[in-house]
Amino acid sequence: MTTANRRTRIAIVGGGMAGLELAKELHRRGVTDLLVIEAGPAKELRHVNRTTSPEDALQMFLAPHNDPHFHRPWTSESSPHYDGRSGLRRRLGGRSLYWWGATVPIEDWALNDPAWPSAITQDLRDSWRDGPSLYERVAADLGVEAALSTSPPTPLAIGSHRFSTVVRAYHDDPTDPDQWAAYSPLDYWRDPFTGAALRDPDRPPTLSDTEVLAVTTHSGTVTGLTVRHRTTGELDHIAAETVVLSAGTIENSRLAIQARHTANNSVPPRLAGLTDHIVHGFAATLNVARNPNLPEGSYFMPGGPQVRANVFLDLFWQNDNQLYVNAKTTGEQLRNEDSYVDCVPADSYPWEVRVHTSLSARDNEVVSAERDLLNNIWHELAESLDHPAEDLPFDDFQNPATTNDTVLPESADTQPVGKPMAWSVLLGTEEHEGGTLPLGGVVDERHELAGVRGLHIAGPSLFPRMGAANPSLTTLALARRLAAILAD
Ligand SMILES: Cc1cc2nc3c(=O)[nH]c(=O)nc-3n(C[C@H](O)[C@H](O)[C@H](O)COP(=O)(O)OP(=O)(O)OC[C@H]3O[C@@H](n4cnc5c(N)ncnc54)[C@H](O)[C@@H]3O)c2cc1C
């Protein structure tokens, strides 16, 4: 039943990292006739590391059933991947209120792949609209220019490995040293620490607690959205000239599949190419004397095109005789036809969504290369400390007994000192899922979906190839690009 009608020029589906960055950039360009439709509430607009203790924020990430906003609107055909901890954070702000702010541009070895349209690679990396590149502009706004340095200082060496400092888009809370907030596009509207409005109103025009069920079309052109108000269950139609899907990769895929299949039922209700990062790690507490060559900090090392993975390493001296080390690799999964989102067409929306994933031979090479690299770092670290070291005890990546929730205090505290825990992250739980709506593939260089005029895409679902980089710097850069296209 339709209870009311609204009309907007641009409807943005999902108020998370991509959707809000787009709304912000449109606002900066003077476009105000827009509406963000967000399935979750819009009450607390600050980052979880500002509103909860560091321990509770870690629990919310690694044990998300503790988070009232956690929601998984799909079924996994590849459990344990895309199951359990895999899901969305359904609230205005989305995962921009959870992320850690690690900003890494997609590596040249991935961006130079012809799968990335060369015009977009150029905009991201070289120059955009005759000025600085998109990466440069976003990095300058976020204060993370160091993320683009090709020869950063390397304050840490472990054997042959040289580490720089992790570059993060975040601020410490000036009033509480335990609390911080990573960048959110909401920073444009409200103070990240106090929540006080910086503009009136303190958010873009938003319809919250409103789930988008379907994109409506006529003769292959977008006409608007069918939505359901979650508090009343009532349905509405919102008329829009342009719709942007920014609801996370799997919801973007569902909405695009429904729209494409409804416009032309010979198009299969499936989008292939789903990717996440392939992640491994180890953590250990070592009884060793404080070593000035191993200063406390959070470090980063690119693994290069052979490994297709980056390394993140935390060193923390618990006292002068005890070091805690936590290392992880973030490796690239390539798009393949056997990793997909598909839907079951039905008379009503939303269609049921199923997710399937598999690793190709080249992905299995990454699994091995990451484990070798971590083993190498572990052995060289132990050697530099005269500490005995056996190989890291990795188990089956497809069905690991130990995932990264073993770093939660309740597991970590049971681990014997001196023995490393090795873990793998299930696909779909690294929160970097993307790839099903690639630029240069089903989406053109104006970010518009083939076969549905006026339907645009934002977020990591656009990436034709992920590289090893964390996605958000590129998500923000591409949102800025789309804003300029829509504003024009
Ligand atoms: C703990 C954590 C740490 C992370 N750290 C990093 C990091 O350091 N670096 C990095 O690059 N990335 C990091 N990420 C990943 C990053 O946060 C995500 O890649 C990014 O938020 C994805 O942006 P998005 O807009 O596509 O999705 P989201 O931010 O998830 O936003 C999607 C929004 O759409 C809404 N929505 C979904 N379906 C519907 C619907 N049908 N109708 C209406 N609204 C809908 C959701 O409620 C949500 O608000 C991290 C993520 C987490 C959880």
Side-chain angles (χ1 to χ4, degrees):
M1 181 181 62
T2 298
T3 56
N5 284 296
R6 292 183 73 145
R7 176 171 294 280
T8 182
R9 185 185 148 207
I10 301 174
I12 299 175
V13 180
M17 186 83 81
L20 291 176
E21 186 72 8
L22 176 67
K24 180 194 94 180
E25 288 300 320
L26 284 167
H27 192 270
R28 275 173 143 185
R29 289 172 175 273
V31 179
T32 52
D33 190 3
L34 59 87
L35 184 64
V36 176
I37 300 102
E38 167 54 48
K43 294 196 181 87
E44 174 56 79
L45 301 185
R46 291 173 298 166
H47 194 277
V48 290
N49 280 80
R50 171 62 188 84
T51 53
T52 60
S53 66
E55 297 74 25
D56 287 350
L58 189 64
Q59 289 280 353
M60 274 181 158
F61 169 42
L62 294 175
H65 46 272
N66 295 322
D67 181 356
H69 304 297
F70 178 72
H71 174 67
R72 184 174 55 254
W74 61 83
T75 308
S76 173
E77 289 184 339
S78 306
S79 187
H81 303 286
Y82 287 94
D83 206 349
R85 270 179 37 212
S86 175
L88 289 169
R89 308 299 169 132
R90 199 159 60 170
R91 60 192 292 195
L92 187 66
R95 284 173 284 179
S96 78
L97 299 181
Y98 294 77
W99 77 308
W100 292 328
T103 40
V104 186
I106 294 183
E107 301 78 10
D108 282 346
W109 50 262
L111 270 186
N112 288 341
D113 188 312
W116 274 98
S118 57
I120 294 178
T121 303
Q122 171 159 352
D123 290 348
L124 282 172
R125 192 182 55 193
D126 305 329
S127 168
W128 183 54
R129 299 194 163 199
D130 298 326
S133 71
L134 287 163
Y135 277 156
E136 286 167 322
R137 293 172 200 241
V138 174
D141 282 2
L142 271 54
V144 293
E145 293 93 332
L148 306 181
S149 167
T150 49
S151 54
T154 53
L156 178 72
I158 297 178
S160 53
H161 306 293
R162 299 280 175 278
F163 291 85
S164 57
T165 301
V166 173
V167 180
R168 292 176 59 204
Y170 85 114
H171 293 287
D172 285 318
D173 185 337
T175 62
D176 182 342
D178 271 350
Q179 294 193 316
W180 52 269
Y183 169 79
S184 166
L186 287 167
D187 297 355
Y188 181 69
W189 287 278
R190 57 90 186 102
D191 183 285
F193 296 114
T194 64
L198 301 176
R199 289 167 206 281
D200 185 18
D202 64 351
R203 65 200 66 177
T206 302
L207 207 52
S208 57
D209 287 310
T210 304
E211 188 182 3
V212 174
L213 303 184
V215 177
T216 56
T217 59
H218 181 69
S219 304
T221 299
V222 156
T223 54
L225 299 169
T226 303
V227 303
R228 177 169 56 204
H229 299 288
R230 286 184 52 222
T231 44
T232 60
E234 286 183 342
L235 302 188
D236 249 348
H237 185 257
I238 298 172
E241 285 169 30
T242 297
V243 168
V244 181
L245 302 182
S246 51
T249 290
I250 297 173
E251 276 289 89
N252 272 6
S253 305
R254 171 182 70 80
L255 291 161
I257 287 169
Q258 291 176 176
R260 288 200 329 155
H261 189 77
T262 304
N264 175 359
N265 66 12
S266 68
V267 177
R270 171 178 295 187
L271 286 167
L274 180 66
T275 55
D276 194 8
H277 278 122
I278 301 169
V279 177
H280 292 92
F282 73 87
T285 302
L286 307 176
N287 279 341
V288 290
R290 192 184 282 271
N291 182 329
N293 294 326
L294 297 173
E296 227 171 65
S298 293
Y299 300 101
F300 174 78
M301 186 184 76
Q306 303 307 322
V307 185
R308 294 190 5 241
N310 294 328
V311 185
F312 291 86
L313 175 83
D314 286 330
L315 295 179
F316 175 63
W317 288 96
Q318 288 170 333
N319 54 51
D320 278 345
N321 294 302
Q322 200 163 65
L323 173 67
Y324 177 70
V325 51
N326 187 354
K328 83 171 194 178
T329 45
T330 306
E332 182 188 45
Q333 183 186 15
L334 290 170
R335 304 180 74 253
N336 71 56
E337 287 300 308
D338 200 33
S339 293
Y340 55 79
V341 177
D342 78 356
C343 289
V344 185
D347 292 337
S348 63
Y349 299 112
W351 290 354
E352 186 188 332
V353 186
R354 300 177 300 208
V355 171
H356 190 269
T357 188
S358 77
L359 294 187
S360 65
R362 290 194 63 199
D363 298 332
N364 281 317
E365 286 168 15
V366 170
V367 172
S368 302
E370 285 183 57
R371 291 176 171 200
D372 289 348
L373 180 56
L374 286 170
N375 258 309
N376 198 270
I377 292 169
W378 163 238
H379 282 286
E380 295 200 313
L381 175 69
E383 194 177 315
S384 71
L385 291 163
D386 285 331
H387 191 282
E390 291 173 7
D391 275 358
L392 296 169
F394 286 113
D395 57 13
D396 179 11
F397 180 79
Q398 289 301 350
N399 206 352
T402 41
T403 64
N404 58 339
D405 54 11
T406 55
V407 303
L408 284 173
E410 52 268 35
S411 305
D413 290 350
T414 63
Q415 185 65 16
V417 171
K419 288 260 174 228
M421 290 184 291
W423 40 266
S424 311
V425 175
L426 295 167
L427 294 169
T429 68
E430 183 57 14
E431 316 274 354
H432 295 176
E433 72 285 352
T436 50
L437 291 157
L439 288 160
V442 292
V443 175
D444 69 15
E445 292 182 15
R446 291 173 42 79
H447 306 214
E448 192 172 34
L449 183 67
V452 192
R453 273 186 303 281
L455 183 56
H456 295 259
I457 312 294
S461 56
L462 281 175
F463 299 1
R465 194 173 161 179
M466 285 219 130
N470 308 49
S472 297
L473 180 65
T474 307
T475 295
L476 298 172
L478 290 175
R480 192 171 288 217
R481 187 176 188 277
L482 176 57
I485 291 169
L486 297 181
D488 289 349

